[in-house]
Amino acid sequence: MSPVLLLSLLLSVIPLAELVPEKPKRSALNQLTRLLLRKYNCGVRPVQNWTKPTTIYIDLIIQAVLDVDGQTQKVTTSIWYRQIWNDEFLVWDPDEFDGITEISLSSDAIWVPDLIISEFVDVGKSPVIPYVYVNCSGKVKNYKPIQVVSACHLEIYAFPFDKQNCTLTFRSWLHSVSEVDLALWRPAEEIANDTREFMNDGEWELLGVPSRYWTLNLEDRDYAQIQFNVLIRRRPLLYVVGLLIPSIFLMVVDVISFYLPPNSGTRITFKTSILLGYTVIRVNLMDEIPATAIKTPLIGVFFAVCMALLLLSLAMSIFVVKLLHYSEKEVKEMSMSACLLDKYGSMDQSLESTFTSMKTLDEVDQSGGYEFDLSPEPDLFSLTEVSSSESPLEKILQEVMSLRLYLQEEDTEATSQSYWVQLCLKVDKLLFCIYLLLVFIYVMTLLLLWHSWSSA
């Protein structure tokens, strides 16, 4: 039998319907999706009565504070954001579709509210979530994580003991309150105290997220808004250890260096080394301090004043060392130093008594046959013989008197130099007390400012 006859015989026996494959039956989920989206218009607000507003319920959970930029006044925050609203066009009977009560739909296929964050300034690295959940009663749930880069008025005056209050204001961009209204999904107290998901091991500590509802009037139209205040506080331990403590140590060492003797020559070298080390620390830690174009942080003022005090301390030491190297005659020509020398006038009195005794000795020796000739130089005294004949005793007496006058002059010069050194040391002590007073006033002022800011 030929193959053609065999094939025709088989076709006559087997029905043609059994040779055609049967189309697979659509699933209930597929049928429900096609039914809901067949005549759905995503550009129309999902209400049967257009005068009825659509209420959007908002929920917010702060997950982390990623960055706080004081120079550009921006804050990057990671949040878990939820929107819930009712869509009257997405309703079905679960019994007709195998008991399905909730499905996921593409967010591009349905109406989604045009809510924005008013403080939004930049696009963050947020993951794209293309689906929303819809239940059989028409409730739509749009859950998504968002990385928000928002503008914030940062108060960094009390850095690193500062607190920040950054706002996230949600509102509809086009719809007024008569079309789109806003409400909180959870009670405001619960949202404000919900810190369980916050990453609490970083630099910032979350204090709370209070919220409030209000309406904004623009061009005779009211727009609903919900504002969340993100209250955060900086943990200052890192900056205290890295910035403040090294500066305080250098200031303490500078104060102790006043106990070095000013005439030894090492005090100025030591203070110069401290100033150089402080400058190096300040330059290396420049990037750690937030910068703004309007206000300077208090810690910046702290560093500037510390450097000014170190310079003042060095200038005081230079003044005392220079004063020690002045001669008595040069200092007497200065009005201020003359006043100080008048107070310590025992030096001049000793000199006057020396010259008085010398005049008395001159008169006595003239009556006995000898006279003293005082040369113009203060250290040259010569005993001039009156009589032509000299005995050995008279020569010995002459030598003894010359030696006495020389020793008396040396003792006068040593006493004068000792008084001058004591006067310079007293000036150094006075400058040290003034420096300590300035440091104390400065420290107390800083503590009061930081305390008043932290307790505000």
Side-chain angles (χ1 to χ4, degrees):
M1 182 179 295
S2 64
V4 178
L5 293 176
L6 181 59
L7 181 59
S8 60
L9 181 61
L10 290 174
L11 290 175
S12 62
V13 176
I14 301 174
L16 185 60
E18 294 181 2
L19 296 177
V20 179
E22 183 180 0
K23 291 184 179 180
K25 186 179 180 181
R26 290 191 178 92
S27 64
L29 181 60
N30 193 1
Q31 294 177 12
L32 177 59
T33 303
R34 290 172 61 89
L35 176 65
L36 294 176
L37 300 181
R38 181 180 301 169
K39 297 181 179 180
Y40 192 92
N41 189 351
C42 61
V44 178
R45 191 164 56 90
V47 289
Q48 301 291 343
N49 183 5
W50 67 271
T51 59
K52 178 183 177 182
T54 302
T55 302
I56 311 298
Y57 295 92
I58 295 176
D59 194 12
L60 185 69
I61 298 176
I62 303 296
Q63 186 183 15
V65 177
L66 303 178
D67 184 41
V68 177
D69 192 345
Q71 187 171 4
T72 58
Q73 298 285 293
K74 293 191 300 185
V75 177
T76 304
T77 311
S78 176
I79 63 175
W80 290 353
Y81 175 58
R82 295 191 289 183
Q83 292 178 349
I84 299 96
W85 69 92
N86 190 46
D87 193 325
E88 298 181 3
F89 299 150
L90 300 177
V91 181
W92 72 89
D93 186 3
D95 297 334
E96 297 180 1
F97 298 93
D98 294 341
I100 298 176
T101 59
E102 191 173 45
I103 62 173
S104 62
L105 296 176
S106 174
S107 57
D108 296 332
I110 66 172
W111 181 86
V112 177
D114 58 337
L115 296 187
I116 63 167
I117 300 176
S118 299
E119 295 83 2
F120 179 83
V121 293
D122 196 2
V123 178
K125 299 178 181 179
S126 304
V128 178
I129 308 298
Y131 299 101
V132 296
Y133 268 113
V134 183
N135 63 13
C136 59
S137 62
K139 181 182 294 184
V140 182
K141 301 176 183 178
N142 186 10
Y143 297 175
K144 53 184 176 180
I146 303 178
Q147 189 177 108
V148 182
V149 182
S150 59
C152 180
H153 181 68
L154 299 173
E155 291 287 347
I156 61 173
Y157 178 71
F159 174 88
F161 305 99
D162 55 330
K163 298 177 183 178
Q164 305 299 336
N165 181 8
C166 298
T167 59
L168 298 176
T169 306
F170 292 84
R171 60 179 290 261
S172 175
W173 181 249
L174 294 176
H175 297 86
S176 64
V177 69
S178 60
E179 298 172 341
V180 173
D181 198 4
L182 301 179
L184 293 174
W185 180 250
R186 292 185 297 167
E189 294 78 10
E190 184 179 349
I191 297 177
N193 300 323
D194 188 4
T195 60
R196 64 182 185 275
E197 300 295 340
F198 185 76
M199 298 173 61
N200 208 25
D201 298 330
E203 179 183 354
W204 294 94
E205 176 187 2
L206 182 63
L207 302 179
V209 191
S211 58
R212 68 185 184 99
Y213 172 89
W214 54 293
T215 58
L216 177 65
N217 185 270
L218 292 175
E219 297 179 355
D220 297 331
R221 300 184 68 185
D222 292 331
Y223 295 87
Q225 297 190 109
I226 291 182
Q227 177 177 294
F228 295 92
N229 294 83
V230 182
L231 305 179
I232 54 178
R233 176 172 56 194
R234 194 192 304 267
R235 290 188 172 94
L237 181 61
L238 176 64
Y239 299 97
V240 170
V241 174
L243 298 178
L244 297 181
I245 291 182
S247 300
I248 293 173
F249 282 167
L250 288 177
M251 293 298 297
V252 171
V253 171
D254 181 68
V255 171
I256 296 175
S257 66
F258 272 96
Y259 287 95
L260 292 172
N263 55 354
S264 64
T266 59
R267 181 193 285 187
I268 294 180
T269 305
F270 188 76
K271 287 183 175 293
T272 305
S273 302
I274 293 176
L275 182 60
L276 180 61
Y278 190 85
T279 305
V280 172
I281 293 177
R282 180 71 179 86
V283 171
N284 292 335
L285 299 177
M286 188 69 182
D287 296 335
E288 300 293 334
I289 303 175
T292 58
I294 300 177
K295 290 185 179 180
T296 301
L298 189 57
I299 194 171
V301 179
F302 169 78
F303 288 137
V305 176
C306 283
M307 186 167 290
L309 289 175
L310 291 176
L311 287 173
L312 179 62
S313 172
L314 180 61
M316 288 179 176
S317 299
I318 293 174
F319 172 74
V320 173
V321 173
K322 182 64 176 176
L323 201 63
L324 281 171
H325 287 78
Y326 270 119
S327 65
E328 179 186 352
K329 184 177 180 181
E330 292 173 343
V331 174
K332 281 186 174 182
E333 295 176 356
M334 305 178 187
S335 59
M336 186 190 331
S337 302
C339 294
L340 293 174
L341 288 176
D342 289 339
K343 183 178 180 181
Y344 301 93
S346 58
M347 183 192 313
D348 298 333
Q349 293 175 3
S350 63
L351 291 174
E352 291 177 1
S353 62
T354 301
F355 287 107
T356 302
S357 61
M358 291 169 58
K359 290 180 180 179
T360 305
L361 183 60
D362 184 24
E363 294 173 356
V364 171
D365 288 335
Q366 285 180 1
S367 62
Y370 298 91
E371 65 177 0
F372 288 93
D373 182 16
L374 271 68
S375 64
E377 299 295 331
D379 56 343
L380 297 177
F381 292 91
S382 62
L383 185 62
T384 305
E385 182 180 355
V386 177
S387 61
S388 58
S389 61
E390 292 182 352
S391 63
L393 181 60
E394 292 172 347
K395 291 183 178 180
I396 294 174
L397 179 60
Q398 180 181 1
E399 296 296 333
V400 170
M401 292 302 299
S402 300
L403 180 61
R404 176 190 173 190
L405 292 175
Y406 176 76
L407 293 176
Q408 189 174 8
E409 182 184 1
E410 290 292 329
D411 182 66
T412 302
E413 292 180 356
T415 304
S416 175
Q417 185 67 23
S418 175
Y419 279 127
W420 179 243
V421 172
Q422 291 180 6
L423 177 62
C424 292
L425 292 177
K426 290 181 178 180
V427 172
D428 182 61
K429 185 177 180 180
L430 175 63
L431 295 178
F432 175 58
C433 294
I434 295 174
Y435 183 73
L436 278 181
L437 179 62
L438 292 176
V439 172
F440 177 76
I441 295 174
Y442 169 58
V443 172
M444 294 303 298
T445 303
L446 283 178
L447 292 177
L448 289 175
L449 288 175
W450 270 325
H451 176 73
S452 62
W453 182 271
S454 60
S455 61

